[in-house]
Amino acid sequence: MPVNIRYTPALKEHQVTPEPVYRQRRQLLQGLGLGLGAAALSLPAGASVLSGLLGKEGNTGGGQPLTYERPEAYRPDLPRTDEGVATSYNNFYEFGTAKSDPARYAGEMKTRPWTLRIEGEVDRPQTLDVWSWMETQRLEERIYRHRCVEAWSMVIPWLGVPLAALLKAAGPTSRAKYVAFETLHNPAVMRGQSSPYLGGGIDFPYVEGLRIDEAMHPLTLLAVGMYGKTLPNQNGAPVRLVVPWKYGFKGIKSIVRIRLMEEQPPTTWNLLAAHEYGFYANVNPTVDHPRWSQASERFIGAGGLFGSERQPTLMFNGYGEEVASLYQGMDLRKFY
């Protein structure tokens, strides 16, 4: 579960390390010994440091190279996050609550073969072999902002196809008002699912949902890769959701089922703490998390985790021109 961010009054806001980052660094340095720990503190924070600390169990890279197109509409002039950081510092509670746990433990998850079911309010239910399906798709690289609810952000080049294409192939019925998603459930491999302590108290499998118009929006991506390659396990291999105007926890990973529904589906973080995590989860700098401000974020770019600076958070994560019309007339403080 996201943790509180505290600030030391003697320092300016941009100089303070967020508590989640501080805790993560302590966890990475545990067990190294005082001498090595002190040396590590003097090293530049980034992919090389994280990879070294993760050791042979770490899986910081992607898989096989992919063939893809690069539409100009999705190539904004934004500083990108280092691949090693984006694949080493992330949330995937199925493997633990520390930021390094996914890269350390997700390598045990088998992603071949992988079946994805599309069912519910559709005319043509489908069961896809994801790897065979992937070979038939015209993949696009889309460089998107990624904003975590914990008030940190990245910029990541994803590879995938619009979710709308998959849904249209299944033929949504007139009763399809929502789209529900479900992650793989395999406690024998996904250690966080085997223990409430390791998994942050979540009742697995992880579930998420979108309104049908959100799911069909051109920005909504069903991602199968990042940085030119197939997804690493810790980032949601082999297929995950990317909705760039929403907080990152909406981007459900390692999807095994998509179900179109007439009623709003339950979502994991809303079930766990409804007063903190709403169904919509749109990035909104004017609506704070109950335990911290959302007005600014710490951007994690090419300088790694600890060389980043705070910047103002943009409404809808900067995608307001494209998506604001979806919520016209809605009270965004009520539907958070």
Side-chain angles (χ1 to χ4, degrees):
M1 183 179 299
V3 294
N4 198 9
I5 300 174
R6 299 179 180 177
Y7 297 100
T8 303
L11 297 176
K12 296 180 179 179
E13 180 183 21
H14 76 276
Q15 296 175 306
V16 180
T17 301
E19 187 175 349
V21 176
Y22 167 75
R23 289 181 182 275
Q24 176 69 3
R25 190 169 181 87
R26 287 196 64 183
Q27 290 164 349
L28 289 172
L29 294 174
Q30 282 178 351
L32 293 177
L34 292 176
L36 182 55
L41 287 170
S42 67
L43 294 174
S48 59
V49 176
L50 287 168
S51 300
L53 294 176
L54 288 171
K56 65 180 181 180
E57 292 181 351
N59 177 18
T60 60
Q64 66 189 54
L66 293 170
T67 301
Y68 53 91
E69 301 173 355
R70 291 179 166 177
E72 285 299 319
Y74 302 108
R75 297 186 59 77
D77 185 17
L78 295 171
R80 301 189 196 181
T81 299
D82 281 343
E83 179 183 359
V85 175
T87 57
S88 299
Y89 185 87
N90 63 307
N91 292 318
F92 199 170
Y93 279 50
E94 282 79 353
F95 297 100
T97 58
K99 294 293 186 292
S100 60
D101 283 346
R104 183 178 295 275
Y105 298 110
E108 298 181 13
M109 179 175 66
K110 305 300 181 184
T111 62
R112 293 176 184 264
W114 193 277
T115 299
L116 174 62
R117 292 182 290 155
I118 302 95
E119 56 192 28
E121 292 293 346
V122 294
D123 292 326
R124 298 177 294 276
Q126 301 188 22
T127 300
L128 304 178
D129 175 274
V130 167
W131 295 98
S132 297
W133 168 82
M134 195 186 307
E135 293 176 357
T136 68
Q137 302 302 299
R138 296 179 63 178
L139 303 180
E140 297 181 358
E141 181 183 68
R142 298 189 176 190
I143 301 171
Y144 281 164
R145 298 180 182 90
H146 173 86
R147 174 59 154 82
C148 182
V149 73
E150 297 169 335
W152 55 266
S153 64
M154 296 183 179
V155 172
I156 297 174
W158 301 103
L159 305 176
V161 298
L163 176 61
L166 186 70
L167 299 183
K168 288 177 181 177
T173 72
S174 60
R175 295 183 297 276
K177 302 297 191 295
Y178 295 88
V179 184
F181 305 85
E182 183 177 317
T183 292
L184 175 70
H185 189 246
N186 185 356
V189 172
M190 304 173 99
R191 62 195 291 270
Q193 294 180 343
S194 66
S195 162
Y197 173 76
L198 293 175
I202 289 175
D203 183 14
F204 294 104
Y206 196 101
V207 292
E208 256 303 338
L210 297 172
R211 249 176 21 195
I212 187 72
D213 57 345
E214 297 175 319
M216 300 294 281
H217 194 278
L219 286 176
T220 304
L221 191 70
L222 198 62
V224 297
M226 59 193 298
Y227 295 94
K229 298 167 286 187
T230 53
L231 288 168
N233 285 11
Q234 64 268 28
N235 292 92
V239 59
R240 63 166 292 164
L241 184 67
V242 178
V243 192
W245 70 92
K246 294 181 179 289
Y247 291 119
F249 66 84
K250 296 294 286 187
I252 186 170
K253 304 175 179 74
S254 302
I255 303 170
V256 294
R257 185 168 73 147
I258 298 175
R259 184 174 183 83
L260 281 74
M261 304 174 63
E262 189 170 6
E263 303 295 330
Q264 180 176 304
T267 60
T268 287
W269 282 100
N270 182 252
L271 289 170
L272 190 65
H275 67 292
E276 296 188 352
Y277 307 101
F279 174 81
Y280 285 92
N282 291 323
V283 176
N284 188 341
T286 70
V287 177
D288 290 336
H289 187 282
R291 291 181 281 129
W292 58 79
S293 169
Q294 294 289 18
S296 66
E297 64 202 47
R298 185 170 295 277
F299 173 65
I300 303 173
L305 297 177
F306 309 106
S308 53
E309 293 287 332
R310 297 197 74 83
Q311 62 186 23
T313 293
L314 301 175
M315 185 66 191
F316 295 117
N317 204 25
Y319 298 96
E321 185 174 339
E322 294 92 338
V323 305
S325 61
L326 296 175
Y327 311 102
Q328 188 172 1
M330 292 179 60
D331 182 347
L332 298 183
R333 290 187 173 274
K334 178 180 179 181
F335 298 101
Y336 60 94

